[in-house]
Amino acid sequence: MRCARLVVAILAFSTAAAAHAQAWPAKPVRLVVPYPPGGATDVAARAVAERIAPALDQPVFIENRAGAGGNIGIESVVKREPDGYTVLVAPDFVTSAPHVYKFRYDPMKQLVPVIQLSRQPVILGVHPSLGVSNVAELVALAKAKPGIGYATSGAGSQQHIAAEWFAKLAGIQLTHVPYKGGGQAIADFLGGQVPIASLGSTPVIPHHKSGKVKIIAQTTKSRAPSLPDVPTY
């Protein structure tokens, strides 16, 4: 089930080039998020930046570089000076992406993993207008009305893979609606433009608790502490 989990991790260039007399950090640190603001990865990056800036005694900036399912932001980090001041914050899509896309770089060789920041399930959510409240009802509706749209933060993401895997196992046809990041996907999901969502859980949970949308399933093997009442699928 690894591909069905959203694991946000920091990855960075080797800091060997920064190993000179000047103590690190001697200038601001930049966290590059390969998605627009508002998604699960962006939320994690901002929470970390807020807390580590005082400890480093240097500003920590968030740079959102969205596009191509996260590939534009990842490639921008690969091309930068490996001085230890540019850090990529990305889901473990970085490791699965080479099997989905053709890259002009090798993330496994040109990036060094530093730390796992968070682990969260990919959720399956539905808008109230769909009129379903659980997975069984969604499957029945999808069999009666094939092609219902579902939103993700991008093609080839864990969210995309999880939803397509579910559709195949359930014997249903859903229409993928990819976005450049979770923020806009969530906005359109809340507005009902796309009635189903397969997204990282963190930014969706508040809307689930307020009743604006309903999370009907989560992908991890056991229920996440943040979603104790939502079944796994």
Side-chain angles (χ1 to χ4, degrees):
M1 290 295 291
R2 181 174 177 176
C3 68
R5 294 176 181 158
L6 180 64
V7 181
V8 181
I10 281 187
L11 299 101
F13 265 114
S14 169
T15 58
H20 36 63
Q22 195 175 41
W24 186 95
K27 61 181 182 179
V29 177
R30 192 170 300 275
L31 304 186
V32 177
V33 177
Y35 304 103
T41 305
D42 182 71
V43 170
R46 292 179 187 278
V48 169
E50 180 181 342
R51 286 160 177 78
I52 65 174
L56 296 178
D57 197 27
Q58 288 286 347
V60 179
F61 299 110
I62 301 295
E63 179 181 330
N64 296 93
R65 292 292 298 273
N71 292 324
I72 290 177
I74 296 171
E75 188 170 357
S76 75
V77 173
V78 170
K79 291 180 177 180
R80 298 188 197 190
E81 178 71 19
D83 60 1
Y85 290 94
T86 299
V87 180
L88 173 68
V89 181
D92 58 2
F93 163 76
V94 172
T95 59
S96 62
H99 303 284
V100 181
Y101 295 98
K102 290 184 178 180
F103 285 155
R104 291 173 289 184
Y105 59 90
D106 187 341
M108 301 305 291
K109 293 180 179 179
Q110 294 175 278
L111 295 169
V112 177
V114 176
I115 190 170
Q116 177 179 294
L117 297 181
S118 72
R119 180 185 294 269
Q120 58 184 289
V122 173
I123 59 90
L124 181 67
V126 293
H127 191 269
S129 62
L130 208 56
V132 302
S133 58
N134 55 52
V135 172
E137 292 177 357
L138 176 61
V139 170
L141 179 64
K143 287 183 176 180
K145 299 180 178 180
I148 301 173
Y150 73 92
T152 74
S153 65
S157 63
Q158 300 101 320
Q159 303 157 11
H160 182 199
I161 292 170
E164 290 298 324
W165 190 359
F166 159 63
K168 182 177 181 180
L169 291 174
I172 59 176
Q173 178 186 346
L174 300 174
T175 299
H176 183 213
V177 184
Y179 287 81
K180 291 183 178 180
Q184 187 57 50
I186 292 169
D188 283 3
F189 176 46
L190 291 174
Q193 288 90 336
V194 185
I196 303 173
S198 179
L199 295 166
S201 63
T202 301
V204 183
I205 288 174
H207 305 297
H208 166 70
K209 290 182 176 179
S210 70
K212 294 179 180 178
V213 295
K214 183 176 180 63
I215 296 175
I216 60 173
Q218 54 184 313
T219 57
T220 39
K221 185 177 181 180
S222 57
R223 299 185 184 191
S226 56
L227 290 169
D229 299 324
V230 176
T232 61
Y233 82 127

